[in-house]
Amino acid sequence: MFVLYANKNSLTVHQCERITSGSVNAYDVRFEFSPDWDGMTKRVFFRAGLTGKPLAVPWTEDGLCEIPWEVMTTPAIHIYAGIYGTCDEAVVLPTVWADLGVVLEGVTTGRDAQPPTPDPWEQELARKGDRLDYTEEGDLGLYAGDKLLSAVPVTGGGDGGPSWGIGHGLKVVNGDLTVSTADNFAGDNTLPMTAAGVQAAVGNIETLLGTI
């Protein structure tokens, strides 16, 4: 693992390891910051050589990311890392580029290039939930693929399955969205009537009309 420390605009390497060309998702980097960076929005960049195009990479809230494979394709080139920080659009603080070391030639099998490293916005999009399902604990979970993003407890319902309300007249029972119904027009009921209830009401009306 690499450990880098940002002290205002200075970025120094506190821990490093060898890098070989052709590596993919093989080298973790953790960034640590001085108080100068408190409250700042930070973006991490890597580049191959001093003239290489900076490549922004996604990272976690605890300061972890991976060196993108795009900057490790060519042996004998140094890899550099840098951070760009902003705060309320009034303060801009870029660090110097930190040298992570030279890329050593690695064994190759001649395989095709890997998919491009996702941009930070693509990582955020990937974290959006795309389905609902029950967790092993019986909670209702929001998933992005197989990854659980969040979960909420549900109350036990009838027929042995979870059940909860979703506004007036709607509920989910055993994973299905259902509509609550009524069998008569008694009181100020606003729920939809069942077919049997409607038939009974219409039959009563026809009986009354027959007496007029």
Side-chain angles (χ1 to χ4, degrees):
M1 172 182 282
F2 288 82
V3 178
L4 281 70
Y5 182 71
N7 184 12
K8 201 168 185 178
N9 62 359
S10 175
L11 184 62
T12 55
V13 180
H14 285 190
Q15 180 178 315
C16 63
E17 58 180 310
R18 289 181 177 179
I19 302 173
T20 52
S21 62
S23 300
V24 178
N25 300 328
Y27 306 106
D28 293 327
V29 182
R30 185 176 77 241
F31 291 90
E32 299 174 349
F33 300 89
S34 67
D36 305 278
W37 291 85
D38 290 350
M40 280 199 169
T41 299
K42 312 173 188 72
R43 295 189 67 190
V44 176
F45 294 87
F46 292 89
R47 73 181 184 186
L50 291 174
T51 59
K53 181 180 178 180
L55 178 63
V57 299
W59 62 331
T60 63
E61 294 180 355
D62 52 1
L64 286 173
C65 69
E66 294 176 339
I67 299 177
W69 67 266
E70 290 94 331
V71 302
M72 298 183 291
T73 59
T74 306
I77 290 183
H78 283 253
I79 294 177
Y80 296 87
I83 305 172
Y84 186 90
T86 59
C87 183
D88 298 329
E89 299 183 356
V91 178
V92 177
L93 182 61
T95 68
V96 298
W97 287 99
D99 189 347
L100 303 187
V102 67
V103 178
L104 303 176
E105 185 173 5
V107 177
T108 178
T109 62
R111 296 180 61 187
D112 295 335
Q114 301 294 322
T117 297
D119 288 329
W121 69 267
E122 292 177 304
Q123 184 199 39
E124 290 300 316
L125 185 61
R127 294 177 58 197
K128 304 302 181 183
D130 54 21
R131 67 183 178 91
L132 293 173
D133 203 347
Y134 295 116
T135 67
E136 294 181 356
E137 292 76 20
D139 297 334
L140 180 64
L142 176 63
Y143 290 84
D146 293 330
K147 181 180 180 181
L148 176 64
L149 301 180
S150 62
V152 294
V154 295
T155 58
D159 301 327
S163 172
W164 61 96
I166 306 180
H168 179 66
L170 294 176
K171 61 183 178 180
V172 177
V173 179
N174 297 329
D176 296 324
L177 181 64
T178 62
V179 178
S180 299
T181 59
D183 293 326
N184 56 65
F185 293 109
D188 59 353
N189 178 47
T190 59
L191 295 175
M193 286 283 290
T194 62
V198 171
Q199 181 63 39
V202 171
N204 290 337
I205 293 175
E206 290 178 345
T207 300
L208 292 174
L209 289 175
T211 63
I212 297 176

